[in-house]
Amino acid sequence: MSPSEKRGHLRITSPGADIQVLDAYLRPVPKASGVGNVNASLAPGAYTVVSTLEGASVSRDLLVRPGSDEPVALDVPLVPAAPVYRLPTANETHGDLARELSRARPAVGTSALVIVLRGLKGHDMAPLEQSPEISDWDGAPIVLPAPRFEEVRRRRSPRAVGWRVDLEPGAYRVRWKRTGTQPAEHTLWAAADRKTLVFVPQGASGPDVAGMSMHFLARTRAYEDGNPQTETVELALSILRRGARRRLLEDANRMLGARTPLTAQLFAAAALASHADAASDERVGPRLAAAVGRLHDELGDMPDVLALGRAVPASGVTGSSDVPPMLSACMDILLAADRDDPDVIPAGSVVETAAGEQYACRPWLLWRPLEVEAFVASRASRQRWATEEALYIPAFRPADGGAGGFEELPMMPAPPPGPPTMSEPVSPTVMRRVEEVVAEAAPRLELPVRDAAEELGAEEIANRLEVPTALVERSLAELYG
């Protein structure tokens, strides 16, 4: 028997998951790992196959015999933030809470926002003490009603709390605070005649915003944890979480049909549009363009849909927004478009801030909020006039009733300077990264840092850092004048 005949083979499939084969001592086997599919040739013996997806793992112990060829299929269940029947995080009382909060219909032409913060089954959680801070895009705070908790039995503490507020359609800023960490902000979109439901897991340190789920519902519908369409939305969101892998993109393409839930279409379209070849693919492109058009018809000028329109011109969706999208994939599309046209991301907008301060997490766009008020006060304190004469302006009046020209009056105090432009502050993270790029290049260019910054130019630095050119220009002005 040849050495190759003595070995056995495993053909492992686990869609979208990370696969690892361990030996009898639980050590990783070289060249026996991958994503979705692994074909491993192994010496006879005992092995463990581990498949991991979004923090959940499934394992199986196997015995490999000489010459064997065995298929192994591992299905890792989704662990969504939303309570979904049959999935591991299902919870009847949490589903009841979401259903009750979403049952009432908002007035025609308005929207409803429902937020549910919940501990996931089998996971530790901090006490339910945090609540989100919500404001409209002009900064006016949205007052949340008293929280509603799940109905608990046997004197145990509740593990889910929710809020519902009816809103005018448009974009809203949501801020979450966590113990010992910086707050995170993100965008929520309230579409006319729809309900926006957001589920946020409550972890050991507080709200785990990166793990949230979102569902758009018609104004006449309530959340149903046992509805198959609810699970479809979570499957589509899972595609975005796992990234643009070929097998997953095929699943996303199948989700672009008109009968698919609107939220699932949004997630599937974002996964495809952020993939370089999807829009030009003869099989995918027309379906993707039609889906983006439907999303715009149903959701209006939602920033994510406008971003998708830039990636899929055949959709006919055009326009720009100074509101950041909800999804990181749509921000990637905006950044790519901004490199070709620097006017895509408005200078001083929240989109620009989000680009420079976003957290490294997917699929949601989360950013560190910068305090505009503190920035304005700081800038105002640094303003000063170059000379004493600048504090005054000359004034004139007609002499001799206008027949003798003009005579100068005593100098009058000038009006105080107006307030600084109310734009978002320059991202300190980007300023630091710009400074590092310039400091690294200066010795090679044999120039002082100020001259090196000018030699490199804002566009080159922006390309290196993958941020908007306008943000780099503002950073250079702050750093080097």
Side-chain angles (χ1 to χ4, degrees):
M1 183 181 294
S2 67
S4 61
E5 292 175 331
K6 293 180 181 179
R7 301 178 71 84
H9 296 269
L10 294 180
R11 292 178 284 111
I12 308 164
T13 59
S14 185
D18 295 309
I19 302 169
Q20 179 69 68
V21 180
L22 309 177
D23 65 17
Y25 298 97
L26 299 182
R27 297 173 302 194
V29 177
K31 299 181 180 181
S33 62
V35 176
N37 296 276
V38 169
N39 292 319
S41 176
L42 305 168
Y47 294 89
T48 300
V49 179
V50 181
S51 184
T52 305
L53 174 62
E54 296 183 32
S57 295
V58 172
S59 63
R60 183 180 301 176
D61 295 329
L62 299 166
L63 184 63
V64 175
R65 296 180 173 84
S68 64
D69 187 0
E70 184 176 352
V72 180
L74 294 178
D75 184 18
V76 185
L78 295 176
V79 186
V84 181
Y85 180 67
R86 293 197 314 269
L87 296 183
T89 56
N91 186 303
E92 182 179 354
T93 58
H94 296 186
D96 291 342
L97 175 63
R99 186 179 305 108
E100 288 303 313
L101 288 170
S102 61
R103 189 184 300 277
R105 301 179 182 183
V108 175
T110 66
S111 179
L113 172 63
V114 175
I115 297 178
V116 177
L117 182 63
R118 59 185 294 258
L120 302 185
K121 188 181 299 183
H123 292 68
D124 294 334
M125 58 170 278
L128 294 172
E129 298 172 348
Q130 298 90 348
S131 61
E133 299 174 4
I134 305 176
S135 65
D136 65 20
W137 222 253
D138 294 325
I142 304 299
V143 179
L144 291 175
R148 292 182 58 178
F149 293 86
E150 65 166 323
E151 293 187 9
V152 296
R153 304 178 180 89
R154 300 178 185 175
R155 298 182 180 179
R156 68 177 179 85
S157 299
R159 290 179 61 87
V161 61
W163 301 264
R164 179 207 167 112
V165 59
D166 287 3
L167 301 167
E168 291 299 315
Y172 293 84
R173 291 173 75 162
V174 183
R175 179 182 296 193
W176 295 89
K177 295 181 180 178
R178 286 164 48 92
T179 304
T181 62
Q182 291 180 307
E185 277 194 354
H186 61 95
T187 304
L188 279 181
W189 182 256
D193 296 319
R194 291 201 172 269
K195 303 167 185 173
T196 303
L197 274 70
V198 178
F199 298 91
V200 180
Q202 176 77 342
S205 300
D208 177 17
V209 195
M212 68 181 175
S213 298
M214 186 196 71
H215 294 248
F216 286 125
L217 298 179
R219 63 180 293 271
T220 57
R221 285 189 52 206
Y223 181 79
E224 295 292 342
D225 54 355
N227 191 321
Q229 290 193 334
T230 303
E231 186 171 347
T232 301
V233 172
E234 295 301 327
L235 288 169
L237 181 58
S238 177
I239 292 173
L240 271 178
R241 290 192 192 283
R242 288 179 277 174
R245 298 168 180 168
R246 184 174 298 278
R247 173 72 177 271
L248 298 179
L249 292 178
E250 293 173 0
D251 293 339
N253 186 35
R254 286 191 287 270
M255 290 183 176
L256 294 179
R259 295 182 179 274
T260 304
L262 194 67
T263 326
Q265 291 184 51
L266 172 65
F267 296 151
L272 288 165
S274 60
H275 195 263
D277 302 326
S280 58
D281 187 290
E282 293 182 358
R283 184 174 58 91
V284 178
R287 288 171 56 84
L288 180 57
V292 174
R294 282 195 303 272
L295 289 167
H296 189 253
D297 292 341
E298 296 288 346
L299 299 175
D301 285 340
M302 177 181 175
D304 294 75
V305 178
L306 295 179
L308 293 176
R310 290 191 175 275
V312 190
S315 66
V317 175
T318 59
S320 60
S321 171
D322 60 357
V323 175
M326 292 190 295
L327 297 168
S328 286
C330 293
M331 177 58 97
D332 292 344
I333 292 170
L334 290 179
L335 289 171
D338 189 77
R339 285 191 281 273
D340 295 329
D341 178 5
D343 293 330
V344 168
I345 297 179
S349 67
V350 185
V351 188
E352 188 188 73
T353 295
E357 292 294 321
Q358 63 180 311
Y359 287 98
C361 63
R362 287 182 178 273
W364 304 103
L365 174 64
L366 306 177
W367 68 88
R368 301 172 185 85
L370 303 181
E371 303 299 337
V372 178
E373 295 82 2
F375 169 78
V376 170
S378 173
R379 289 294 298 272
S381 68
R382 297 201 303 268
Q383 286 185 342
R384 53 195 173 91
W385 297 94
T387 64
E388 184 69 17
E389 287 76 12
L391 295 175
Y392 296 89
I393 58 174
F396 301 88
R397 70 180 176 189
D400 299 330
F406 293 85
E407 62 179 345
E408 186 173 352
L409 294 174
M411 300 269 294
M412 299 294 293
T421 302
M422 287 300 292
S423 64
E424 290 287 305
V426 180
S427 161
T429 301
V430 171
M431 285 181 64
R432 185 183 68 251
R433 295 173 65 196
V434 167
E435 200 168 18
E436 290 171 352
V437 169
V438 174
E440 181 183 356
R444 294 201 307 269
L445 297 173
E446 298 181 350
L447 293 171
V449 289
R450 184 186 298 272
D451 295 338
E454 185 176 352
E455 178 71 18
L456 286 171
E459 186 173 351
E460 171 61 24
I461 298 174
N463 287 336
R464 294 188 186 188
L465 299 181
E466 297 184 344
V467 297
T469 303
L471 181 54
V472 174
E473 290 173 345
R474 297 174 67 206
S475 300
L476 290 171
E478 285 287 317
L479 287 168
Y480 308 113

